[in-house]
Amino acid sequence: MVQHEVLDRAFAALADTTRRDILVRLGDGPATISELAETAGMTLTGIRKHVDVLVEAGLATTEKVGRTRQCRLGAERLDDAMAWISFYQRLWERRLDGLEAYFTLRNATPNDTGKDAS
């Protein structure tokens, strides 16, 4: 159940364009709340709410440095979400490969399968 909660928070956080943009920006290096707000064209309060969602999901961290709050990518970095996506990607690739093999055999002519035409 805990794993589902982690994934739910991560995917909910990623569902918003502004939060995805914040993660892209943090991929370039740390930024203050003020820098993020300026880039996004939002108020400090507005951007702080988005950052709080990212922190809750483990996708970002914040640290008070002097009078500013520094934001960085979280230690988890989407590892849980990527593992979940990779599992289902492999599952669907196997299923689609099996479906492709089925239709290839089904559509083969009798000479292709080595059977007699009679």
Side-chain angles (χ1 to χ4, degrees), residues 21-67:
D21 290 344
I22 291 169
L23 291 175
V24 169
R25 168 55 189 87
L26 294 178
D28 293 335
T32 65
I33 296 287
S34 298
E35 291 168 340
L36 294 173
E38 184 179 320
T39 302
M42 296 181 72
T43 64
L44 292 174
T45 303
I47 205 74
R48 179 59 196 234
K49 289 180 181 181
H50 285 291
V51 169
D52 287 346
V53 171
L54 292 170
V55 169
E56 178 69 25
L59 302 177
T61 62
T62 62
E63 176 186 8
K64 185 128 173 121
V65 179
R67 295 176 55 190

Coordinates of all heavy atoms in Angstrom, one line a residue, residues 21-67:
D21 N 7.7 21.9 -15.2 CA 8.7 23.0 -15.6 C 9.7 23.3 -14.4 O 10.9 23.5 -14.7 CB 7.9 24.3 -15.9 CG 7.2 24.1 -17.2 OD1 7.5 23.2 -18.0 OD2 6.3 25.0 -17.5
I22 N 9.2 23.2 -13.2 CA 10.1 23.4 -12.0 C 11.2 22.3 -12.0 O 12.3 22.6 -11.8 CB 9.3 23.5 -10.7 CG1 8.4 24.7 -10.7 CG2 10.2 23.4 -9.5 CD1 7.4 24.7 -9.5
L23 N 10.7 21.1 -12.2 CA 11.7 20.0 -12.2 C 12.7 20.1 -13.3 O 13.9 19.8 -13.1 CB 11.0 18.6 -12.3 CG 10.2 18.2 -11.1 CD1 9.4 16.9 -11.4 CD2 11.0 18.1 -9.9
V24 N 12.3 20.6 -14.5 CA 13.2 20.8 -15.6 C 14.2 21.8 -15.2 O 15.4 21.7 -15.4 CB 12.4 21.2 -16.9 CG1 13.4 21.7 -18.0 CG2 11.6 20.0 -17.4
R25 N 13.8 22.9 -14.6 CA 14.6 24.0 -14.2 C 15.6 23.5 -13.1 O 16.8 23.8 -13.2 CB 13.8 25.2 -13.6 CG 14.6 26.2 -12.9 CD 15.8 26.8 -13.7 NE 16.6 27.7 -12.9 CZ 17.6 27.3 -12.1 NH1 17.9 26.0 -12.1 NH2 18.3 28.1 -11.4
L26 N 15.1 22.7 -12.1 CA 16.0 22.2 -11.1 C 17.0 21.2 -11.7 O 18.0 20.9 -11.0 CB 15.2 21.5 -10.0 CG 14.3 22.5 -9.2 CD1 13.5 21.8 -8.1 CD2 15.2 23.6 -8.6
G27 N 16.7 20.6 -12.8 CA 17.7 19.7 -13.5 C 18.9 20.4 -13.9 O 20.0 19.8 -14.0
D28 N 18.8 21.7 -14.1 CA 20.0 22.5 -14.4 C 20.8 22.9 -13.2 O 21.9 23.4 -13.3 CB 19.6 23.8 -15.1 CG 19.0 23.5 -16.5 OD1 19.3 22.5 -17.1 OD2 18.2 24.3 -17.0
G29 N 20.2 22.7 -12.0 CA 20.9 23.1 -10.7 C 19.9 23.7 -9.8 O 18.8 24.0 -10.1
P30 N 20.4 23.9 -8.5 CA 19.5 24.5 -7.5 C 19.0 25.9 -7.9 O 19.6 26.6 -8.7 CB 20.5 24.6 -6.3 CG 21.6 23.7 -6.6 CD 21.8 23.7 -8.1
A31 N 17.9 26.2 -7.3 CA 17.3 27.5 -7.5 C 16.5 27.9 -6.3 O 16.0 27.1 -5.5 CB 16.4 27.5 -8.7
T32 N 16.5 29.2 -6.1 CA 15.7 29.7 -4.9 C 14.2 29.8 -5.4 O 13.9 29.8 -6.6 CB 16.1 31.1 -4.5 OG1 15.9 32.1 -5.6 CG2 17.6 31.2 -4.1
I33 N 13.3 29.9 -4.4 CA 11.9 30.1 -4.6 C 11.7 31.3 -5.5 O 10.9 31.3 -6.4 CB 11.1 30.2 -3.3 CG1 11.2 28.9 -2.5 CG2 9.7 30.6 -3.5 CD1 10.4 27.7 -3.1
S34 N 12.4 32.4 -5.2 CA 12.3 33.6 -5.9 C 12.7 33.4 -7.4 O 12.0 33.9 -8.3 CB 13.2 34.7 -5.4 OG 12.8 35.0 -4.0
E35 N 13.7 32.7 -7.7 CA 14.2 32.4 -9.0 C 13.1 31.6 -9.8 O 12.8 31.9 -10.9 CB 15.5 31.7 -9.1 CG 16.7 32.6 -8.6 CD 17.9 31.8 -8.4 OE1 17.9 30.5 -8.2 OE2 19.0 32.4 -8.3
L36 N 12.6 30.6 -9.1 CA 11.5 29.8 -9.7 C 10.3 30.6 -10.0 O 9.7 30.4 -11.1 CB 11.2 28.6 -8.8 CG 12.3 27.6 -8.6 CD1 11.9 26.5 -7.6 CD2 12.7 26.9 -9.9
A37 N 9.9 31.5 -9.1 CA 8.7 32.3 -9.3 C 8.9 33.3 -10.4 O 8.0 33.4 -11.3 CB 8.4 33.1 -8.0
E38 N 10.1 33.8 -10.5 CA 10.4 34.8 -11.6 C 10.3 34.0 -13.0 O 9.7 34.5 -13.9 CB 11.7 35.4 -11.4 CG 12.1 36.4 -12.5 CD 13.4 37.0 -12.2 OE1 13.8 37.3 -11.0 OE2 14.2 37.3 -13.2
T39 N 10.9 32.9 -13.1 CA 10.9 32.1 -14.3 C 9.5 31.7 -14.7 O 9.1 31.8 -15.9 CB 11.7 30.8 -14.1 OG1 13.1 31.2 -13.8 CG2 11.8 30.0 -15.4
A40 N 8.7 31.3 -13.7 CA 7.3 30.9 -14.0 C 6.3 32.0 -14.1 O 5.2 31.8 -14.6 CB 6.8 29.9 -12.9
G41 N 6.7 33.2 -13.7 CA 5.8 34.4 -13.8 C 4.7 34.2 -12.8 O 3.5 34.6 -13.0
M42 N 5.0 33.7 -11.6 CA 4.0 33.5 -10.5 C 4.5 34.2 -9.3 O 5.6 34.7 -9.1 CB 4.0 32.0 -10.2 CG 3.4 31.1 -11.3 SD 3.3 29.4 -10.9 CE 1.9 29.4 -9.7
T43 N 3.5 34.3 -8.3 CA 3.8 34.9 -7.0 C 4.7 33.9 -6.2 O 4.7 32.7 -6.5 CB 2.6 35.2 -6.2 OG1 1.9 33.9 -5.9 CG2 1.6 36.1 -7.0
L44 N 5.4 34.4 -5.2 CA 6.1 33.5 -4.3 C 5.2 32.5 -3.7 O 5.6 31.3 -3.6 CB 6.9 34.3 -3.3 CG 8.0 35.2 -3.8 CD1 8.5 36.1 -2.6 CD2 9.1 34.4 -4.4
T45 N 4.1 32.9 -3.2 CA 3.1 32.0 -2.6 C 2.7 30.9 -3.5 O 2.6 29.7 -3.2 CB 1.9 32.7 -2.0 OG1 2.4 33.8 -1.2 CG2 1.0 31.8 -1.3
G46 N 2.4 31.3 -4.8 CA 1.9 30.3 -5.8 C 3.0 29.3 -6.1 O 2.7 28.1 -6.1
I47 N 4.2 29.7 -6.3 CA 5.3 28.8 -6.7 C 5.6 27.9 -5.4 O 6.0 26.7 -5.6 CB 6.5 29.5 -7.2 CG1 7.4 28.6 -8.1 CG2 7.4 30.1 -6.1 CD1 6.8 28.3 -9.4
R48 N 5.5 28.5 -4.2 CA 5.8 27.7 -3.0 C 4.9 26.6 -2.9 O 5.3 25.5 -2.5 CB 5.8 28.7 -1.8 CG 6.0 28.0 -0.5 CD 7.4 27.4 -0.5 NE 7.5 26.4 0.6 CZ 8.5 26.4 1.5 NH1 9.4 27.3 1.4 NH2 8.5 25.5 2.4
K49 N 3.6 26.8 -3.2 CA 2.6 25.7 -3.2 C 3.0 24.5 -4.1 O 2.9 23.4 -3.8 CB 1.2 26.2 -3.5 CG 0.7 27.0 -2.4 CD -0.7 27.5 -2.7 CE -1.3 28.4 -1.6 NZ -2.6 28.9 -1.9
H50 N 3.5 24.9 -5.3 CA 3.9 23.9 -6.3 C 5.1 23.1 -5.7 O 5.2 21.9 -5.9 CB 4.2 24.5 -7.6 CG 3.0 24.9 -8.4 ND1 2.1 23.9 -8.9 CD2 2.5 26.1 -8.7 CE1 1.1 24.5 -9.6 NE2 1.3 25.8 -9.4
V51 N 6.1 23.9 -5.2 CA 7.3 23.3 -4.6 C 7.0 22.3 -3.5 O 7.5 21.2 -3.4 CB 8.3 24.4 -4.2 CG1 9.5 23.8 -3.4 CG2 8.9 25.1 -5.4
D52 N 6.0 22.7 -2.6 CA 5.6 21.9 -1.5 C 5.0 20.6 -2.0 O 5.3 19.5 -1.4 CB 4.5 22.6 -0.7 CG 5.1 23.7 0.2 OD1 6.4 23.8 0.3 OD2 4.4 24.5 0.7
V53 N 4.3 20.6 -3.1 CA 3.8 19.3 -3.7 C 4.9 18.4 -4.2 O 4.9 17.2 -3.9 CB 2.8 19.6 -4.8 CG1 2.4 18.3 -5.6 CG2 1.5 20.3 -4.3
L54 N 5.9 19.1 -4.8 CA 7.1 18.3 -5.3 C 7.9 17.7 -4.1 O 8.4 16.6 -4.2 CB 8.0 19.2 -6.1 CG 7.4 19.6 -7.5 CD1 8.2 20.7 -8.1 CD2 7.2 18.4 -8.4
V55 N 8.0 18.5 -3.0 CA 8.7 18.0 -1.8 C 8.0 16.9 -1.2 O 8.6 15.8 -0.9 CB 8.9 19.2 -0.8 CG1 9.4 18.7 0.5 CG2 9.9 20.2 -1.4
E56 N 6.7 17.0 -1.1 CA 5.8 15.9 -0.5 C 6.0 14.6 -1.3 O 5.9 13.5 -0.8 CB 4.4 16.4 -0.5 CG 3.4 15.3 0.1 CD 3.6 15.0 1.5 OE1 4.1 15.9 2.3 OE2 3.2 13.9 2.0
A57 N 6.1 14.8 -2.6 CA 6.3 13.6 -3.5 C 7.7 13.0 -3.5 O 7.9 12.0 -4.2 CB 5.8 14.0 -4.9
G58 N 8.6 13.7 -2.9 CA 10.0 13.3 -2.9 C 10.8 13.7 -4.2 O 11.9 13.2 -4.4
L59 N 10.2 14.5 -5.0 CA 10.8 14.9 -6.2 C 11.7 16.1 -6.1 O 12.5 16.4 -7.0 CB 9.8 15.1 -7.3 CG 8.8 14.0 -7.6 CD1 7.8 14.3 -8.6 CD2 9.6 12.7 -8.0
A60 N 11.6 16.8 -5.0 CA 12.4 18.0 -4.8 C 12.6 18.1 -3.3 O 11.9 17.5 -2.5 CB 11.7 19.3 -5.3
T61 N 13.7 18.9 -2.9 CA 14.0 19.2 -1.5 C 14.2 20.7 -1.4 O 14.5 21.4 -2.4 CB 15.2 18.5 -1.0 OG1 16.4 19.0 -1.8 CG2 15.1 17.0 -1.1
T62 N 14.0 21.2 -0.2 CA 14.2 22.6 0.0 C 15.1 22.8 1.3 O 15.1 21.9 2.2 CB 13.0 23.5 0.2 OG1 12.3 23.0 1.4 CG2 12.1 23.4 -1.0
E63 N 15.9 23.8 1.3 CA 16.8 24.1 2.5 C 16.9 25.6 2.7 O 17.1 26.3 1.7 CB 18.1 23.5 2.2 CG 19.2 23.7 3.3 CD 20.5 23.3 2.9 OE1 20.8 22.8 1.7 OE2 21.4 23.3 3.8
K64 N 16.7 26.0 3.9 CA 16.8 27.4 4.2 C 18.3 27.8 4.2 O 19.1 27.2 4.9 CB 16.2 27.7 5.5 CG 16.2 29.2 5.8 CD 14.8 29.6 6.2 CE 14.8 31.1 6.7 NZ 14.0 31.9 5.9
V65 N 18.7 28.8 3.3 CA 20.0 29.2 3.3 C 20.0 30.7 3.5 O 19.6 31.5 2.5 CB 20.7 28.9 1.9 CG1 22.1 29.4 1.8 CG2 20.6 27.4 1.7
G66 N 20.4 31.2 4.6 CA 20.2 32.6 5.0 C 18.8 33.0 4.9 O 18.0 32.5 5.6
R67 N 18.5 34.0 4.1 CA 17.1 34.5 4.0 C 16.3 33.9 2.8 O 15.2 34.3 2.6 CB 17.1 36.0 3.9 CG 17.7 36.7 5.1 CD 17.8 38.2 4.9 NE 16.6 38.8 4.5 CZ 16.4 40.0 4.2 NH1 17.5 40.8 4.1 NH2 15.3 40.5 3.8

